[in-house]
Amino acid sequence: MAKVLIVDDAAFMRMMLKDILVKNGYEIAGEATNGIKAIEIYKVEKPDLVTMDITMPDMDGIQAVKEIKAIDPNARIIMCSAMGQQSMVMDSIKSGARDFIVKPFQPERVLEAVKKALS
Amino acid sequence: MDMSQYLDMFIEESDENLQNLNEWILELEKNPDDKETINSIFRAAHTLKGMSASMGFNDIAELTHKMEDILDEFRNDKLKVNSEVITVLFKCLDTLEKMVDGVRDGSSEKTDISGITKMLDDIAASGNSSNGDEAAATIEEAPLKEKAPSNSINFELNVYDEDIIKQAKEKNYNVFKAEVNLYNDCKLKSARAFLVYKNLEESGEIVKSIPSIEDIEQEKFDYSFVFVYVTNKTAEEVKKLIESVSEIESVNVSEVEINNTEEAQSKEAKPKEESNNKNVKSQPKKDDRTSKKAHQFVRVDLEKMDKFMNLVGELVIHRTRLEQLSSNYKLTDLHETLEQVGRITSDLQDLVMKIRMLPVEKVFNRFPRMIRDLSNELGKEIELVIKGEDTELDRTVIDEIGEPLLHLIRNSADHGIEPAEERIKAGKKAAGTIKLIAYQEGNKAIIKVEDDGRGLNVEKIKQKAEKSGIDTSGMSEQDIKNLIFMQGFSTSEKVTDISGRGVGMDVVKTKISAIGGTIELLSEEGKGTSVIIRLPLTLSIIQALLVKVGDETFAISLGFIDRVISINTDEIKLTNNKEVIIYRDNVIPLIRLSDKLNIKGEDGKDKFVVIAKSGEKTAGLLVDSLSGQQEIVIKNIGKTLSGLKEYVGATILGNGLVTLILDVAAIV
């Protein structure tokens, strides 16, 4: 089963995503609270997919996308964004993100995006 | 919107379309029932209309619109093409050319098109057409609009879009119209659409988007957007690509077919036109065009090109200097490197010359129309055969060659080709033929203008010459024929509007010499005349002989030099108080360069004579010594010294010495 790395500085959001994914048979490769940690875990675990929050301390999601893409050009990353982050989403798409989901999360939307990103 | 940035493009494309119109109308005259040609004319007029309307040149748009009206009548068999129609179409073309020229010159003067539109109206009225305007309105709409089914987005392709799509299709790309509907509670729609576009940009190009990309980025759209996508992927693959993005309700991908009927017809038309043997001249052009389209072009300012050429010239000069230094100091390492540099600079030189080259087609393609007009005017049947129009020449030569050729062709049509009765009596076919042939020979380009007319009448020229006080005794026939190159010499008994104003051949000759070319005349009475023009491929880098007079070194272009001989000054003879030398039984006038240029020459009797030819004049230039042959770059000597008639320019030699280049034509 596909392994997913969840990156978000809010534990609540990580939890929620984790629940949605695990319930639907995905394996969690790890959780990170910022971009730097996300890169560290990515290198070790080589997850099939990353869900990446945009606004995070230390290193934000957009920078993390760039660096992960630099390590692995085939990395599949879905951005987790909120309303009003349109331009940041576009920036992350330019940096190589596959898709994005918008908070508040609706489980079926999350799953649709994950499925499509993995296909 | 500021349209000025599109002006150059507009003018260039208009010129192209006008030229095409010219060819097609000629073609139509030959085959008045050829629907494909009418369609081509229609399309060119339509394109012009679209362009000029976008640019705000309403009079051009109006006239082309009227043309479309008429052409549509022909397409629908409501009217028949006759010679009167062709004449009016040509008049339209002339008017359009004038208007485009006006745009080019930036004149705000409004061209009066009421006369020509009246003529068009008259043609329309002469048919049994019920309502021309309505017909025009429908064709206007039909090919342009394509309603998106099941969608409220009004999807229109303009002329430019159509053009892009056509080009893409010619290159075997697929062109799809895709309609994407997002979930109706989708958030960050802009980013969503952006993601779709980004996925697609990786394997194709979005050529049109409705709403526009800007509007999409500003979220000025509902949950649907439509776009035209050029790609080499299949519809299925495109659909998959779009669907790989989440929150998409539905995707509808369909093949774009613009001007369905026209497209199909023109595809059919091509092979037909090509199999048409009569149409010798337009064929190669078409082939050429299709092959050209496969290449990509960059438009470059000619001034920049000249600068580039100049810089390469400088490079050549300094390379030669370095070479000289390295051989002076016998530096082997440097010498090897310089050899490489030498190769590269030669390649660079070749390349820059090639970049400046243009096919003579640019000049030739105005002649078919001219011949048509001339044969109408003169009441003679004349056929023009053009060959080798893809021969390339330097741009500056191209610009200069048009006028002399025009003279020559007019001469052939007017004086050369006989009236039909006379031709039949002489056992020739009624229609005269003028051939315009170009080809490359070594480092020269040759252009021939041949006619199968009556040829030069030596007796007549002789009489005329004697009347003007020229002694023709002892002149060979060829010499007599060559008299027509003399100033003010015209043998035609009546001065016509076309040629024979006495400024013909000498002007041609002067012009050709000015661009470093030579002209030769072959004529046989009763059989025809052929004028052969030899032109340099390029003007700014020449092979030259370096000669010394006293302490000064001069360069003489090899193009003028017949041969070089060494003489003893005692061999110089005097005739009529002028110095001459006898070489192979020819008396050649001698010019002492030291006297001519006011330089103190070397003493001593062993000298050299450079026998130079300029046109029909030959002279020996007496110089002290020779210092070898070299490739030199001609540089202007600047305004201050422009009064010096004896020099065409200057160059810098390998040793850094500035050397003047003699203008043989002016000295001899």
Side-chain angles (χ1 to χ4, degrees):
Chain A
M1 203 62 217
K3 293 190 295 178
V4 183
L5 166 63
I6 299 173
V7 188
D8 201 311
D9 57 341
F12 166 76
M13 295 309 300
R14 291 202 300 275
M15 172 85 86
M16 198 183 154
L17 274 174
K18 195 172 162 185
D19 281 352
I20 296 169
L21 293 170
V22 170
K23 259 186 217 160
N24 287 279
Y26 292 95
E27 201 182 320
I28 304 303
E31 290 181 36
T33 54
N34 64 35
I36 296 167
K37 285 190 181 136
I39 295 164
E40 280 168 21
I41 301 174
Y42 189 88
K43 280 188 199 155
V44 180
E45 295 291 334
K46 296 271 175 223
D48 301 296
L49 185 75
V50 182
T51 70
M52 180 77 73
D53 188 26
I54 292 180
T55 333
M56 290 183 295
D58 294 324
M59 184 194 276
D60 68 15
I62 300 171
Q63 187 58 32
V65 169
K66 282 183 192 153
E67 304 213 355
I68 291 176
K69 275 282 177 181
I71 299 164
D72 179 5
N74 295 320
R76 297 154 193 249
I77 305 166
I78 295 176
M79 304 308 288
C80 304
S81 66
M83 289 297 285
Q85 287 188 311
Q86 191 113 255
S87 64
M88 291 185 207
V89 175
M90 289 192 196
D91 282 346
S92 45
I93 291 168
K94 275 181 213 155
S95 307
R98 271 284 170 110
D99 207 335
F100 62 94
I101 44 181
V102 187
K103 295 170 194 174
F105 295 138
Q106 292 170 265
E108 67 278 8
R109 294 288 161 87
V110 174
L111 289 170
E112 188 198 344
V114 169
K115 234 182 262 166
K116 283 190 170 168
L118 285 169
S119 67
Chain B
M1 192 170 170
D2 177 24
M3 300 305 287
S4 60
Q5 51 176 325
Y6 303 112
L7 193 61
D8 284 350
M9 178 90 74
F10 168 79
I11 291 171
E12 196 151 328
E13 280 215 79
S14 299
D15 283 347
E16 223 167 80
N17 274 296
L18 289 174
Q19 183 53 45
N20 286 340
L21 271 177
N22 191 354
E23 271 174 35
W24 288 327
I25 298 173
L26 279 171
E27 173 74 23
L28 184 68
E29 187 175 35
K30 280 188 209 146
N31 305 306
D33 297 322
D34 191 350
K35 279 278 151 56
E36 280 77 27
T37 311
I38 296 176
N39 275 328
S40 304
I41 297 171
F42 184 90
R43 269 199 304 276
H46 185 79
T47 310
L48 274 172
K49 183 176 89 171
M51 291 196 302
S52 48
S54 320
M55 292 293 293
F57 301 129
N58 293 328
D59 43 353
I60 304 182
E62 196 185 323
L63 180 54
T64 42
H65 180 76
K66 284 273 181 201
M67 283 174 75
E68 274 186 31
D69 284 4
I70 298 296
L71 290 162
D72 198 49
E73 304 281 296
F74 299 128
R75 293 211 298 191
N76 300 334
D77 286 325
K78 284 192 187 151
L79 283 177
K80 276 267 168 231
V81 178
N82 54 34
S83 66
E84 184 200 347
V85 169
I86 298 282
T87 308
V88 173
L89 282 177
F90 270 129
K91 286 219 171 95
C92 288
L93 184 62
D94 290 343
T95 314
L96 285 172
E97 268 169 4
K98 221 189 280 163
M99 291 193 280
V100 172
D101 281 346
V103 171
R104 193 190 333 260
D105 302 339
S107 78
S108 52
E109 205 176 303
K110 204 172 163 358
T111 314
D112 180 31
I113 56 168
S114 58
I116 189 81
T117 49
K118 169 110 195 352
M119 281 187 227
L120 286 168
D121 287 341
D122 288 348
I123 294 181
S126 72
N128 52 358
S129 76
S130 49
N131 192 337
D133 280 27
E134 201 179 77
T138 42
I139 29 143
E140 180 68 0
E141 307 283 296
L144 291 184
K145 273 195 186 158
E146 193 175 317
K147 286 257 187 220
S150 80
N151 196 297
S152 59
I153 291 176
N154 191 11
F155 195 74
E156 279 187 26
L157 291 172
N158 63 29
V159 190
Y160 301 112
D161 301 329
E162 283 182 17
D163 222 11
I164 292 170
I165 292 166
K166 260 184 218 152
Q167 283 181 14
K169 290 206 166 189
E170 270 165 30
K171 288 182 196 156
N172 283 327
Y173 281 105
N174 290 323
V175 182
F176 297 113
K177 189 187 84 180
E179 187 191 320
V180 177
N181 297 305
L182 302 174
Y183 286 164
N184 57 14
D185 62 350
C186 170
K187 293 183 184 98
L188 305 186
K189 293 177 292 181
S190 294
R192 193 63 66 193
F194 179 76
L195 187 56
V196 170
Y197 279 2
K198 196 204 158 230
N199 281 352
L200 293 173
E201 299 278 19
E202 278 166 18
S203 41
E205 197 179 338
I206 287 157
V207 294
K208 187 177 182 74
S209 165
I210 293 179
S212 69
I213 305 269
E214 291 94 306
D215 283 353
I216 287 179
E217 270 175 8
Q218 287 162 25
E219 227 170 60
K220 284 186 194 153
F221 70 113
D222 286 321
Y223 293 94
S224 309
F225 54 96
V226 184
F227 55 85
V228 177
Y229 182 50
V230 176
T231 180
N232 47 20
K233 295 213 178 301
T234 65
E236 199 51 41
E237 285 169 322
V238 172
K239 192 162 190 244
K240 270 205 179 127
L241 257 176
I242 299 171
E243 280 176 343
S244 72
V245 174
S246 60
E247 304 199 16
I248 285 172
E249 181 79 48
S250 65
V251 180
N252 195 345
V253 179
S254 60
E255 176 108 31
V256 178
E257 277 163 355
I258 45 142
N259 284 5
N260 210 345
T261 49
E262 281 189 15
E263 186 78 0
Q265 277 171 355
S266 75
K267 260 182 199 156
E268 249 175 70
K270 267 190 186 153
K272 265 192 205 163
E273 272 170 350
E274 266 156 22
S275 66
N276 190 343
N277 277 331
K278 269 191 196 164
N279 182 16
V280 192
K281 47 205 169 286
S282 62
Q283 265 182 40
K285 171 145 197 223
K286 257 166 212 146
D287 292 347
D288 205 30
R289 281 185 65 83
T290 37
S291 67
K292 263 184 200 161
K293 271 194 182 138
H295 295 97
Q296 290 212 313
F297 284 97
V298 182
R299 290 175 213 272
V300 183
D301 189 357
L302 188 62
E303 223 169 274
K304 280 188 197 156
M305 263 335 294
D306 285 343
K307 216 169 167 187
F308 183 29
M309 182 88 169
N310 226 341
L311 287 176
V312 172
E314 298 275 343
L315 194 61
V316 173
I317 290 166
H318 291 290
R319 182 198 75 196
T320 330
R321 276 196 77 172
L322 277 175
E323 276 169 355
Q324 193 150 3
L325 283 178
S326 99
S327 71
N328 284 355
Y329 293 98
K330 298 199 170 56
L331 303 167
T332 347
D333 285 357
L334 182 63
H335 189 72
E336 274 168 22
T337 324
L338 274 176
E339 259 180 24
Q340 293 280 4
V341 175
R343 263 195 291 279
I344 293 168
T345 38
S346 314
D347 285 354
L348 200 56
Q349 215 173 312
D350 274 358
L351 190 68
V352 71
M353 275 200 282
K354 273 184 200 135
I355 293 174
R356 289 178 54 93
M357 303 275 247
L358 283 177
V360 279
E361 185 188 345
K362 255 207 138 60
V363 182
F364 282 10
N365 58 20
R366 63 168 124 147
F367 295 129
R369 165 73 193 283
M370 195 183 92
I371 287 293
R372 178 200 178 264
D373 290 353
L374 280 179
S375 52
N376 279 355
E377 218 169 297
L378 298 166
K380 297 175 184 173
E381 258 184 84
I382 305 171
E383 203 184 324
L384 179 68
V385 178
I386 293 179
K387 277 187 195 154
E389 64 270 58
D390 50 356
T391 309
E392 292 194 324
L393 279 173
D394 190 273
R395 173 136 201 167
T396 34
V397 182
I398 293 267
D399 290 345
E400 297 296 321
I401 193 69
E403 203 185 314
L405 284 179
L406 194 97
H407 268 298
L408 291 176
I409 293 176
R410 278 183 174 172
N411 267 336
S412 281
D414 196 17
H415 305 311
I417 305 287
E418 315 90 326
E421 320 85 76
E422 202 182 316
R423 289 182 63 87
I424 293 165
K425 245 184 248 164
K428 297 179 185 175
K429 64 178 170 106
T433 309
I434 296 177
K435 285 187 191 161
L436 189 55
I437 304 165
Y439 56 94
Q440 196 178 328
E441 199 180 83
N443 63 350
K444 296 254 163 174
I446 317 283
I447 299 178
K448 278 191 197 168
V449 180
E450 289 179 5
D451 67 63
D452 62 350
R454 54 169 81 94
L456 288 177
N457 185 329
V458 179
E459 266 320 300
K460 240 185 194 173
I461 300 174
K462 226 179 187 168
Q463 282 167 22
K464 167 91 188 177
E466 268 152 22
K467 245 188 247 165
S468 12
I470 302 164
D471 182 15
T472 53
S473 56
M475 277 176 116
S476 70
E477 238 177 56
Q478 185 62 40
D479 287 344
I480 293 171
K481 283 176 192 164
N482 281 334
L483 282 175
I484 65 162
F485 286 115
M486 277 184 46
Q487 204 171 352
F489 203 96
S490 174
T491 59
S492 184
E493 286 119 35
K494 55 176 188 216
V495 170
T496 67
D497 192 26
I498 290 133
S499 53
R501 270 160 295 184
V503 289
M505 295 303 266
D506 64 308
V507 173
V508 171
K509 181 155 192 181
T510 319
K511 198 105 197 188
I512 301 284
S513 321
I515 50 176
T518 60
I519 187 162
E520 193 185 327
L521 180 99
L522 298 173
S523 178
E524 198 174 330
E525 200 167 351
K527 292 247 173 88
T529 306
S530 140
V531 178
I532 302 158
I533 300 171
R534 291 190 170 78
L535 294 164
L537 291 180
T538 182
L539 296 179
S540 52
I541 299 177
I542 56 163
Q543 286 286 336
L545 179 74
L546 301 178
V547 298
K548 282 197 108 170
V549 180
D551 294 333
E552 301 289 332
T553 305
F554 296 98
I556 303 172
S557 163
L558 282 197
F560 290 110
I561 298 177
D562 192 29
R563 50 175 33 93
V564 180
I565 51 174
S566 73
I567 62 157
N568 187 304
T569 42
D570 293 340
E571 293 169 40
I572 298 172
K573 307 236 167 5
L574 274 179
T575 12
N576 294 338
N577 244 346
K578 283 194 178 130
E579 287 185 315
V580 295
I581 53 161
I582 312 246
Y583 178 69
R584 296 206 177 153
D585 297 336
N586 282 327
V587 181
I588 298 169
L590 189 81
I591 297 167
R592 286 178 190 258
L593 275 186
S594 53
D595 294 349
K596 186 93 186 168
L597 306 174
N598 254 331
I599 302 167
K600 200 189 167 302
E602 270 172 35
D603 302 330
K605 295 197 160 177
D606 290 327
K607 307 232 169 192
F608 292 89
V609 173
V610 177
I611 299 178
K613 265 192 161 175
S614 165
E616 296 313 310
K617 282 188 280 185
T618 306
L621 306 174
L622 188 77
V623 300
D624 292 336
S625 61
L626 307 173
S627 19
Q629 185 183 324
Q630 199 177 327
E631 199 167 72
I632 58 166
V633 182
I634 303 180
K635 303 241 159 204
N636 282 332
I637 23 183
K639 275 198 192 114
T640 337
L641 300 174
S642 62
L644 297 175
K645 291 278 171 291
E646 293 86 0
Y647 310 103
V648 282
T651 191
I652 304 170
L653 296 182
N655 55 12
L657 194 74
V658 175
T659 299
L660 290 165
I661 304 161
L662 293 178
D663 185 358
V664 175
I667 294 173
V668 174

